[in-house]
Amino acid sequence: MHDQTLTGLAAALTAGEFSSRELTEHLLARIERHDGALNSFITVTGDQALAAADAADAARARGEAGPLTGLPLALKDIFCTRGVKTSCGSRMLDNFAAPYDATVVEKLAAAGTLSLGKTNMDEFAMGSSNENSHYGPVKNPWDLSAVPGGSSGGSAAAVAAGLVPAALGTDTGGSIRQPAAFCGITGLKPTYGRVSRYGMVAYASSLDQAGPMARTAEDCAHLLGAIAGHDQRDSTSVARGVPDYVEGLEAPLSGLKIGLPKEYFGDGLSAEVASAVREAIAVYESLGATVREVSLPHTHYAIPAYYVIAPAEASSNLSRYDGVRFGHRCENPSDLIDLYKRSRAEGFGEEVKRRILIGTHTLSEGFFDAYYKQAQKVRRLIRQDFLDAFEEVDVLMGPAAPTPAFDLGANKDPVSMYLQDIYTIAVNLAGIPGISVPAGFAGGRPVGLQILGTHFAEAQLLNVAHQFQQATDWHLRRPAFAEETA
Amino acid sequence: MALEHADVLRAAHLARLGLDEGEADRYRDDLGRILEMVDQLQSLDTDGVAPLAHPLDATQRLRADEVTEPDQRETFQRCAPAVENGLYLVPRVVE
Amino acid sequence: MQWETVIGLEVHVQLATRSKIFSGASTAFGAEPNTQACAVDLGLPGVLPVLNEQAVAMAVQFGLGIHAEIPEVSVFDRKNYFYPDLPKGYQTSQMYEPIVGPGEVEILLEDGERKTVRVHHAHLEEDAGKSLHEDFHGMTGIDLNRAGTPLLEIVSEPDMRSAKEAAAYLKAIHSIVTYLGISDGNMAEGSMRCDVNVSVRPRGQEAFGTRAEIKNVNSFRFVERAIEFEVERQIELLEDGGTVVQETRLYDPEADETRSMRTKEEANDYRYFPCPDLLPVVLDQAYVDHLRGQLPELPAAKRERFQGELGLSAYDAGVLSASRAMAEYFERVHAVCGDAKQAANWVQGELSGALNREGLAIVDSPVSADQLGGLIVRVLDDTINGKAAKQVFQALWHGEGGDEHNSADAIIEAKGLKQVTDTGAIEAMIDQVIADSPAQVAQYRDAEPDKRGKMIGYFVGQVMKASRGTANPQQVNALLKEKLDALC
């Protein structure tokens, strides 16, 4: 049962093939057996999951089950969960049990799903390999010597390994799409503001967005429908109706206009990834889509702009971790400055400190205009590139990452690590949605096809991704890791 | 824009991050390379381009002036490192 | 050398919203520590701010009250610094695009002169919590109840030239915000606080001198005294060949002096940038016009009207319009009695005297405006004379006559204070007094005619006494003179 999609499991629960408790017990047992090697969970909430499964089974017995009732999920450890540790992958919050649930957590519970636990991640969502976690790196189930991608690496690895059918991640510069690509699953970053950020620990507020990570686009459609929508508690969430994302999945793709940004197929793209992506695009042509080249001329500036804006916002967002009201506090501070400096030096890891320092520096007097203001102007140019492209085509396609999953420890230099996000980062600056779908393999490691749409085009992206998954079976491939008969 | 050792110390102090000398040197190297990458922005002519702070052109929604939050001091202070008489404690602040 | 003082004020006004500027926690004063600090106020991970519509409306009302521009778009920024009473490590404020643009405030000086002080802008921001320095084993306690209370910071241009002008400006701001009902203006509870920028320059010089900023002055009196001390300090320093250092100082009311704040001289760098958790606030013209339509008459307009339409003196108009409560009381008295001068005299004389003696605010007056108006009506229609009126007022003050608006009448009736104006009755009393005072009558008759005027006082006194104060004194005077002169 651990190989099934969310949609398949829902059907099985409805048909009474097994109960939510049986499913939950089975998955908890798999986590117990296999997660030692993967390290994809920080916290497993078995008792709560089983209690929720029983409640779901009871609801089903009363005839009160909805489409998602009784389905087990996992939550990136960035989402606040009442009474359960929310560490954000950081020593700073190792002792923090949130007093409230994030809006998405509330919504998923209201839809009848249950959580198996909190997944590992790069500390404060800063990273592209999940090597920046206080709780140690996560391994890629396709190859334990490879990274799962980041920052939602735990969610991606757990889904790929069949420990959970789907999970929530967050994406600030590619943190859903790149690990989805590296682990051979489907991951959707919605339009900025489509999903509430309330209760999601902030990294860079104008870029952060939560989204589903699952085996199929169809599963993502179900989950997005459950978590999307306006939230009174998040000023940046958008007051706009939520369409039925499942309804349109079957629409045919004839006449679909696909744009291939030429900047996404240039230097630095691995030949194997390029060929897998080209083959995927050929599949779309066979489905009746037309393909043309487009240009996103400011692509080159996306990483520089991001590494001004995101660290600037982060440096401010992370000031609340001061050892006063919650979180790590150093032993015996001699004075206030010592309390601050030692608590923060001990509580934060290296990459977080690096970004706080960058952000503090670029915001400081004398640098603000040259860095921050300039980056914001470039941000507008980058958004305009996309809006111009969507005047000509319906969706854009390209690789989710320049290479398949790289080896653990391969990118020691921060800048070379940052450059891994070349194809995903501009999307967050522009606020548009993007999805990564499995599209083949390179050297035994999965390759992701990234599909981008204009603001609020999630339904279209899911339709386009789903049709690909009806025509291919890349998304059905499972790693040999943790294979066992259900 | 070159980054000096003093810039790192200044940023670390503003951000209240304790760094020893060795760390400061290491961060100066890292930050120097990151800024070098970031400096590509300077080559772009952005005259007449308005800064973009949010990806959507949305405006602020307002909340009705109602008291909706009950007292949850006990719950909130359960995760606090040091409290007494309902107050959060910090080393003495000299005014 | 002749020195000129240059003063600018930053006034922080706590807005009288029920809930905080970015959260639904209560703003009530005086609660147990941290019982009104919700997750947003505490800056817990993942929580987000949502702007209070009332805070916005109040800021706009203030802007309209000082004839300021109200920009269509305003933006919140973060001011980043670490302090234990600042939970998020930044204060959400408005640095670059404030909600209220340039405006002006008219101030009234003691000599009746008027002066316009320009307001540079006013912006919304959140208040910080409080540090309590009582001894917790050598630790400081932090109470975050106040964190997130909405503040309107009103920044003046450096237009004031004396401590008195600064105090008058502060009073004018106080009066505007209390008139608008956007703040309780309670300085003792910190609802209004003020930072004062002071510099001096040789008279005639255009360039400003180096200024010192005096932080957190919290009373009208202290503002004046702090400035006076600071001006003297700077002049002395300059005359001794020294220079003024640009710095932040604290006013110590006990020692009546300002002192440099002992900060290790590190330049602050607040790293302002637009708050990514909040979107631009856009106010359309219809909304602003709607608020404009609801504005009450403000002190300056009231003062003008009291002087122009009601014919009050500049001084009376100023005093009676200084607070909304005073103005409303006066206007009610006037509406009831119909005589502005009498109403002004009674409110400022008998009533204010009694209130001051008891230390009461006008809203707590035991004599209502309707009652006082009713009393004045009886003076104006000659039902009672001035002396009786004071008696009636005392009776009203002590709650006699019930709390009806016509309670003055009840007292007049009960105490028999109705003025006697019946000529026959008065003549009878006069005849009796003349008959009972042969010696005084003889003296009167023997006196030089121009001395007699003074001597008549005795007879008036006797007649009034005989009438128990109720005889009309003018009538008594006239009739007595007539009768006595007839005897001469």
Side-chain angles (χ1 to χ4, degrees):
Chain A
M1 55 181 101
H2 57 262
D3 273 343
Q4 293 198 44
T5 63
L6 216 48
T7 317
L9 290 169
L13 288 173
T14 306
E17 289 171 33
F18 43 79
S19 67
S20 177
R21 170 170 267 271
E22 286 166 324
L23 173 61
T24 304
E25 280 175 344
H26 173 72
L27 294 174
L28 288 171
R30 279 182 63 77
I31 294 170
E32 179 73 32
R33 278 198 295 283
H34 303 296
D35 202 43
L38 278 188
N39 196 29
S40 66
F41 280 84
I42 290 173
T43 305
V44 177
T45 50
D47 292 344
Q48 282 155 284
L50 289 170
D54 289 341
D57 287 333
R60 188 175 299 284
R62 292 194 303 272
E64 291 168 6
L68 299 179
T69 297
L71 293 172
L73 303 172
L75 303 166
K76 185 178 183 178
D77 205 19
I78 199 169
F79 296 103
C80 287
T81 41
R82 189 191 301 271
V84 174
K85 176 162 97 174
T86 299
S87 74
C88 220
S90 181
R91 182 184 179 196
M92 183 60 87
L93 291 177
D94 185 53
N95 60 4
F96 178 69
Y100 40 80
D101 280 330
T103 296
V104 291
V105 173
E106 274 179 3
K107 287 188 154 212
L108 284 174
T113 70
L114 54 100
S115 167
L116 298 182
K118 311 289 294 288
T119 56
N120 204 340
M121 58 182 287
D122 282 303
E123 184 179 7
F124 284 101
M126 297 178 193
S128 312
S129 69
N130 221 310
E131 292 168 295
N132 297 334
S133 170
H134 171 62
Y135 301 92
V138 179
K139 312 286 170 58
N140 190 320
W142 290 93
D143 183 339
L144 296 181
S145 63
V147 302
S151 66
S152 310
S155 288
V159 173
L163 306 185
V164 66
L168 278 199
T170 63
D171 190 318
T172 306
S175 285
I176 286 176
R177 292 159 289 152
Q178 183 252 24
F182 280 13
C183 290
I185 65 165
T186 307
L188 171 70
K189 181 207 96 79
T191 305
Y192 179 82
R194 178 73 288 185
V195 176
S196 168
R197 295 186 295 115
Y198 187 87
M200 187 175 117
V201 179
Y203 158 25
S205 312
S206 78
L207 301 159
D208 294 341
Q209 184 62 197
M213 303 175 79
R215 302 211 164 104
T216 64
E218 186 179 15
D219 288 358
C220 287
H222 282 289
L223 288 175
L224 181 62
I227 61 173
H230 180 237
D231 181 4
Q232 303 274 0
R233 295 180 294 184
D234 175 2
S235 301
T236 62
S237 83
V238 178
R240 184 182 172 119
V242 179
D244 185 336
Y245 294 112
V246 179
E247 198 177 63
L249 291 175
E250 304 300 338
L253 298 187
S254 54
L256 179 77
K257 285 182 279 184
I258 298 172
L260 305 183
K262 65 176 182 201
E263 294 80 5
Y264 285 24
F265 292 87
D267 288 348
L269 177 62
S270 109
E272 283 177 290
V273 170
S275 97
V277 168
R278 297 243 179 240
E279 277 173 40
I281 288 158
V283 171
Y284 277 105
E285 287 180 297
S286 75
L287 294 174
T290 60
V291 176
R292 57 184 290 191
E293 189 183 87
V294 296
S295 176
L296 302 170
H298 296 95
T299 298
H300 186 57
Y301 297 98
I303 291 180
Y306 177 90
Y307 278 97
V308 173
I309 291 168
E313 293 183 9
S315 71
S316 177
N317 283 336
L318 271 60
S319 292
R320 66 188 60 198
Y321 306 103
D322 59 3
V324 176
R325 298 165 315 288
F326 55 85
H328 178 74
R329 180 181 196 142
C330 66
E331 294 283 331
N332 304 317
S334 62
D335 59 19
L336 188 62
I337 288 276
D338 184 47
L339 166 72
Y340 286 149
K341 289 196 169 176
R342 246 182 335 120
S343 299
R344 289 166 63 78
E346 292 167 5
F348 291 139
E350 198 156 315
E351 182 60 25
V352 172
K353 288 184 201 172
R354 208 177 273 133
R355 294 195 196 185
I356 289 176
L357 289 171
I358 280 285
T360 305
H361 177 72
T362 54
L363 283 179
S364 60
E365 218 175 302
F367 299 102
F368 178 79
D369 283 352
Y371 287 126
Y372 190 80
K373 260 225 170 110
Q374 175 74 351
Q376 281 199 325
K377 291 175 174 185
V378 173
R379 184 175 190 178
R380 184 175 294 277
L381 296 174
I382 288 169
R383 183 179 72 163
Q384 197 55 47
D385 282 357
F386 283 108
L387 297 181
D388 290 346
F390 289 123
E391 293 286 313
E392 296 175 39
V393 296
D394 301 316
V395 293
L396 297 171
M397 288 190 189
T403 64
F406 45 88
D407 288 344
L408 282 153
N411 280 304
K412 291 278 184 226
D413 170 56
V415 174
S416 67
M417 183 71 94
Y418 298 168
L419 296 175
Q420 295 297 320
D421 295 331
I422 176 78
Y423 305 134
T424 49
I425 235 164
V427 169
N428 300 77
L429 292 169
I432 59 171
I435 190 168
S436 175
V437 292
F441 290 85
R445 297 177 185 178
V447 170
L449 168 73
Q450 182 177 223
I451 312 167
L452 308 175
T454 195
H455 295 121
F456 302 104
E458 287 84 358
Q460 183 176 39
L461 291 189
L462 289 162
N463 165 231
V464 170
H466 177 71
Q467 289 305 307
F468 181 74
Q469 292 180 335
Q470 297 304 101
T472 61
D473 68 352
W474 300 117
H475 62 290
L476 300 177
R477 308 290 177 90
R478 299 284 179 262
F481 173 85
E483 235 174 43
E484 53 185 80
T485 46
Chain B
M1 282 173 266
L3 190 76
E4 307 289 333
H5 187 77
D7 292 327
V8 176
L9 295 182
R10 185 182 134 81
H13 179 67
L14 283 172
R16 299 295 186 267
L17 275 178
L19 294 187
D20 61 33
E21 285 294 312
E23 287 174 307
D25 279 337
R26 197 150 37 85
Y27 281 116
R28 187 197 50 198
D29 292 347
D30 285 354
L31 268 48
R33 265 173 305 137
I34 296 167
L35 289 178
E36 203 176 299
M37 181 266 287
V38 160
D39 275 340
Q40 294 172 62
L41 292 175
Q42 311 308 331
S43 67
L44 203 56
D45 180 5
T46 55
D47 273 3
V49 180
L52 182 70
H54 293 95
L56 302 174
D57 298 308
T59 60
Q60 181 63 34
R61 195 179 44 78
L62 303 178
R63 176 178 64 78
D65 180 24
E66 285 160 8
V67 176
T68 53
E69 298 296 319
D71 170 22
Q72 294 190 72
R73 182 173 81 181
E74 206 191 315
T75 311
F76 292 150
Q77 293 196 337
R78 237 173 264 149
C79 55
V83 287
E84 191 170 313
N85 296 339
L87 297 161
Y88 295 96
L89 295 189
V90 296
R92 186 183 287 288
V93 177
V94 186
E95 293 252 313
Chain C
M1 191 179 306
Q2 286 280 348
W3 296 93
E4 183 179 44
T5 305
V6 175
I7 302 161
L9 257 58
E10 292 164 21
V11 183
H12 297 79
V13 175
Q14 266 185 11
L15 298 177
T17 54
R18 284 190 283 268
S19 63
K20 301 214 173 146
I21 183 166
F22 298 122
S23 83
S26 169
T27 55
F29 182 81
E32 283 292 298
N34 291 310
T35 55
Q36 289 177 175
C38 73
V40 172
D41 307 324
L42 294 173
L44 292 182
V47 298
L48 296 168
V50 186
L51 182 58
N52 184 334
E53 65 176 0
Q54 197 58 30
V56 170
M58 288 173 166
V60 172
Q61 284 171 313
F62 175 79
L64 294 172
I66 61 161
H67 315 289
E69 288 169 33
I70 308 295
E72 192 189 356
V73 179
S74 66
V75 173
F76 284 94
D77 300 293
R78 292 184 181 177
K79 177 183 184 180
N80 294 282
Y81 66 97
F82 282 84
Y83 204 72
D85 65 14
L86 188 72
K88 299 186 296 296
Y90 57 83
Q91 180 192 30
T92 309
S93 179
Q94 298 186 305
M95 174 65 177
Y96 300 108
E97 296 182 63
I99 189 157
V100 174
E104 50 187 51
V105 171
E106 189 181 80
I107 62 172
L108 195 64
L109 304 175
E110 272 177 356
D111 53 7
E113 278 286 296
R114 289 176 192 190
K115 173 170 175 162
T116 298
V117 175
R118 291 167 304 152
V119 169
H120 180 270
H121 77 269
H123 64 259
L124 281 169
E125 61 185 26
E126 56 184 341
D127 208 345
K130 279 182 182 163
S131 303
L132 297 152
H133 302 290
E134 299 120 59
D135 201 9
F136 296 98
H137 334 291
M139 309 279 271
T140 290
I142 307 295
D143 174 10
L144 296 171
N145 280 349
R146 199 180 64 181
T149 299
L151 292 180
L152 186 66
E153 179 172 337
I154 303 154
V155 180
S156 84
E157 295 284 0
D159 282 355
M160 288 151 278
R161 295 290 174 268
S162 69
K164 290 227 179 311
E165 287 186 15
Y169 170 78
L170 194 58
K171 281 180 188 152
I173 295 286
H174 183 269
S175 150
I176 292 169
V177 299
T178 50
Y179 258 77
L180 290 169
I182 62 172
S183 175
D184 65 18
N186 188 331
M187 295 189 87
E189 287 178 7
S191 301
M192 232 175 111
R193 314 191 286 275
C194 154
D195 299 340
V196 190
N197 287 298
V198 184
S199 64
V200 297
R201 61 181 172 190
R203 200 165 286 283
Q205 178 184 306
E206 196 159 328
F208 292 130
T210 306
R211 67 190 157 87
E213 185 181 20
I214 313 168
K215 279 271 183 207
N216 251 325
V217 194
N218 61 3
S219 86
F220 297 117
R221 203 159 49 97
F222 292 166
V223 163
E224 243 180 281
R225 282 173 37 188
I227 292 171
E228 275 161 9
F229 174 86
E230 181 59 23
V231 166
E232 211 169 299
R233 185 189 73 89
Q234 291 187 11
I235 292 174
E236 238 172 71
L237 200 60
L238 292 169
E239 288 187 340
D240 289 351
T243 51
V244 176
V245 185
Q246 182 163 346
E247 62 178 352
T248 304
R249 300 179 69 85
L250 269 184
Y251 175 67
D252 176 353
E254 307 259 305
D256 190 21
E257 62 179 23
T258 67
R259 275 198 299 265
S260 182
M261 281 174 84
R262 286 174 294 154
T263 44
K264 280 169 255 161
E265 253 339 294
E266 56 185 49
N268 275 324
D269 185 344
Y270 293 123
R271 291 158 285 134
Y272 284 98
F273 76 106
C275 178
D277 288 328
L278 292 162
L279 300 168
V281 179
V282 175
L283 304 174
D284 62 36
Q285 198 53 48
Y287 172 79
V288 174
D289 288 344
H290 168 73
L291 289 179
R292 196 192 310 272
Q294 293 185 325
L295 281 190
E297 187 182 31
L298 289 171
K302 248 190 216 307
R303 199 162 60 222
E304 200 99 332
R305 186 166 57 81
F306 286 178
Q307 243 184 296
E309 270 178 42
L310 304 185
L312 300 186
S313 70
Y315 177 80
D316 287 357
V319 171
L320 291 170
S321 62
S323 86
R324 186 170 174 170
M326 176 68 94
E328 279 173 356
Y329 190 101
F330 162 72
E331 291 193 271
R332 182 67 199 156
V333 174
H334 174 224
V336 173
C337 77
D339 185 316
K341 282 188 183 146
Q342 281 286 347
N345 288 343
W346 275 91
V347 170
Q348 288 184 90
E350 210 64 18
L351 179 73
S352 292
L355 290 171
N356 285 343
R357 270 193 300 280
E358 305 274 325
L360 292 176
I362 194 148
V363 289
D364 301 319
S365 168
V367 181
S368 74
D370 280 346
Q371 289 176 324
L372 183 57
L375 165 59
I376 298 169
V377 167
R378 294 301 168 233
V379 175
L380 291 170
D381 69 8
D382 283 335
T383 304
I384 50 174
N385 60 40
K387 198 174 167 200
K390 288 187 181 177
Q391 267 180 273
V392 175
F393 180 83
Q394 280 309 314
L396 287 171
W397 184 267
H398 292 107
E400 292 172 41
D403 46 15
E404 301 299 316
H405 64 89
N406 60 353
S407 41
D409 290 349
I411 292 165
I412 293 166
E413 187 64 40
K415 292 193 185 293
L417 295 174
K418 204 164 186 309
Q419 182 161 249
V420 177
T421 52
D422 169 10
T423 311
I426 295 175
E427 273 178 328
M429 285 187 275
I430 290 173
D431 291 344
Q432 189 61 49
V433 167
I434 289 175
D436 292 348
S437 317
Q440 284 79 2
V441 172
Q443 276 180 6
Y444 185 90
R445 198 174 40 214
D446 296 343
E448 297 290 320
D450 61 330
K451 297 270 164 63
R452 287 181 183 155
K454 269 188 183 166
M455 299 178 73
I456 204 165
Y458 165 79
F459 297 97
V460 173
Q462 291 302 306
V463 177
M464 291 308 286
K465 199 169 161 187
S467 77
R468 297 188 340 279
T470 61
N472 179 307
Q474 286 83 32
Q475 274 178 293
V476 172
N477 245 305
L479 288 170
L480 258 173
K481 195 163 181 325
E482 210 174 280
K483 288 202 179 249
L484 286 169
D485 287 351
L487 297 175
C488 299

